[in-house]
Amino acid sequence: MSGRGLGQKQGRMRKGGLYTARFVGHAEVTRVAWQCIHTARWSKNSTTIATASYQKQISLVSVDPSSLSKSNFDGRGSEGLASGFGASAIPSTPTVNVLSTEHINLPFIPSSIAWQLHQERLLVGGARGLVSLYDAATGQSVWSIKAHTASVSSVAPLGPQDTVCSASFDGTVAFSDTRTAAGGLIMSKRLGSAAISCDVDPGASVCVAATRDEGVAWWDLRSPGYPFTTRETKLNYVPHVVRCMPDGEGCIIGGAEGRCEVAYKEGNNGYAYKCHRNGKDTWAVNDISFRVDGAFLTAGSDGKLNVWDHESRKRLQDWPSQMPDLTHIVSADFSTLIPSIVVVAEAYDFSNGTAGYDEDNDSSTIHIMCMSDH
């Protein structure tokens, strides 16, 4: 990507005017029997990982925060690991201590999950248009609404509020109040085609939804009635995922063609770039996650993570040859509490349909990556 001037913004950790990133080490979470997982998300308030599976199950894995220190990954921890991360080697695999594991069995396949920002509750979208809220402490559903007529594709909280945004393959995006016992639908907006993914920035100023016809809808959440506009994307094929920038000024859209689009709320200076490609080979972008400072990663079906600075249009870190070879990365998420830590879900991406899935040889694995920000 070609360079452009940087707009300095307050509150962002920079070194030499740029975001920085460097992979330090990697560990597997081995105490859990993973199967057919498609999403992994850190809690916003703890070191608990939530995973969603096509086997109608959500797993909640509490990780000892002391085992998530950078010293545990780079060889200087108390476990007596090998040498630190160097030019040609990474340390022996560190130990990530799992404190507890809980499983929530669902009556439907969870298609999307997202933690509430202000409490340990998990939003779950699934079949039949249902959006539910589960208490992580009890594993029980505390709220549910049939917000759509078809499966929910994506859910997102509206900042530290009790409102949830949900997108569906029926072409609607709904806003609902989780404080209302009997549903609580605030409004529903029909788009031109199936809504593939939606997201809301942490400050709840903007909501973005990507649709199957390559259009993107933008809602202004700070204005009465949530007025919205639609714009075409710069991608050539169907978007897979959309994530809002932490400051609410724009979003990143990942597509099936191994490209991403950086789109800004005002519609100016947006651009698209190639990421998960190797010559003529292309892999889908399956997930996007922002670090708290604004740098973001893309996770692809090529089994790679790349880290980017959207302001300078630069790749900060591609997948080092010293890191393990993964098959498909279906999900990845930066921790909010420990910004150097990333949870990565490796699993079959269904790029060859259900015929390509071998249940007896399921390769689903949860990895934890450590990344230096300086």
Side-chain angles (χ1 to χ4, degrees), residues 44-266:
K44 306 302 181 183
N45 304 290
S46 70
T47 54
T48 298
I49 302 168
T51 66
S53 166
Y54 289 114
Q55 302 293 338
K56 297 183 179 181
Q57 188 177 79
I58 291 173
S59 298
L60 301 175
V61 181
S62 177
V63 179
D64 183 355
S66 65
S67 66
L68 298 177
S69 65
K70 191 172 72 170
S71 62
N72 188 39
F73 287 84
D74 68 6
R76 299 193 300 272
S78 60
E79 298 296 324
L81 300 177
S83 60
F85 187 93
S88 60
I90 60 173
S92 302
T93 302
T95 300
V96 173
N97 298 322
V98 174
L99 300 177
S100 64
T101 303
E102 303 292 336
H103 301 291
I104 302 174
N105 294 314
L106 305 175
F108 54 84
I109 295 174
S111 55
S112 178
I113 59 173
W115 289 93
Q116 284 193 312
L117 270 62
H118 60 302
Q119 52 189 343
E120 289 289 270
R121 291 183 171 184
L122 194 68
L123 295 164
V124 181
R128 304 189 300 276
L130 291 175
V131 180
S132 303
L133 182 64
Y134 282 82
D135 190 319
T138 65
Q140 299 299 311
S141 174
V142 295
W143 174 87
S144 184
I145 184 175
K146 183 176 173 59
H148 308 275
T149 59
S151 294
V152 176
S153 59
S154 188
V155 292
L158 266 67
Q161 303 176 23
D162 293 296
T163 306
V164 56
C165 171
S166 56
S168 170
F169 293 107
D170 67 2
T172 61
V173 172
F175 298 89
S176 307
D177 188 345
T178 63
R179 296 170 299 180
T180 305
L185 183 66
I186 298 173
M187 65 171 290
S188 178
K189 182 65 179 179
R190 180 164 296 280
L191 305 177
S193 63
I196 304 299
S197 179
C198 70
D199 195 33
V200 177
D201 71 290
S205 64
V206 64
C207 172
V208 181
T211 65
R212 181 169 290 163
D213 67 1
E214 302 158 31
V216 178
W218 298 71
W219 280 264
D220 180 359
L221 301 180
R222 293 183 175 176
S223 298
Y226 298 167
F228 85 107
T229 58
T230 58
R231 295 205 300 263
E232 293 184 353
T233 80
K234 299 179 184 299
L235 302 180
N236 297 320
Y237 296 93
V238 176
H240 272 197
V241 58
V242 62
R243 291 288 178 266
C244 289
M245 297 175 185
D247 59 9
E249 293 302 312
C251 67
I252 313 295
I253 308 161
E257 67 217 64
R259 293 202 308 157
C260 282
E261 177 186 356
V262 178
Y264 294 101
K265 184 168 59 176
E266 302 302 325

Side-chain angles (χ1 to χ4, degrees), residues 276 284-287 298-305 319 326-332 343-347 349 367 369:
H276 294 271
V285 179
N286 295 321
D287 209 354
T298 58
S301 285
D302 56 352
K304 303 290 192 297
L305 291 181
W319 193 251
L326 306 184
T327 52
H328 309 289
I329 297 179
V330 294
S331 183
V343 61
V344 176
E346 177 189 17
D349 64 354
H367 305 264
M369 307 288 182

Side-chain angles (χ1 to χ4, degrees), residues 324-359:
D325 291 330
L326 306 184
T327 52
H328 309 289
I329 297 179
V330 294
S331 183
D333 190 38
F334 273 114
S335 168
T336 301
L337 295 182
I338 310 176
S340 60
I341 294 296
V342 183
V343 61
V344 176
E346 177 189 17
Y348 176 56
D349 64 354
F350 286 87
S351 55
N352 293 317
T354 56
Y357 175 63
D358 184 354
E359 184 174 358

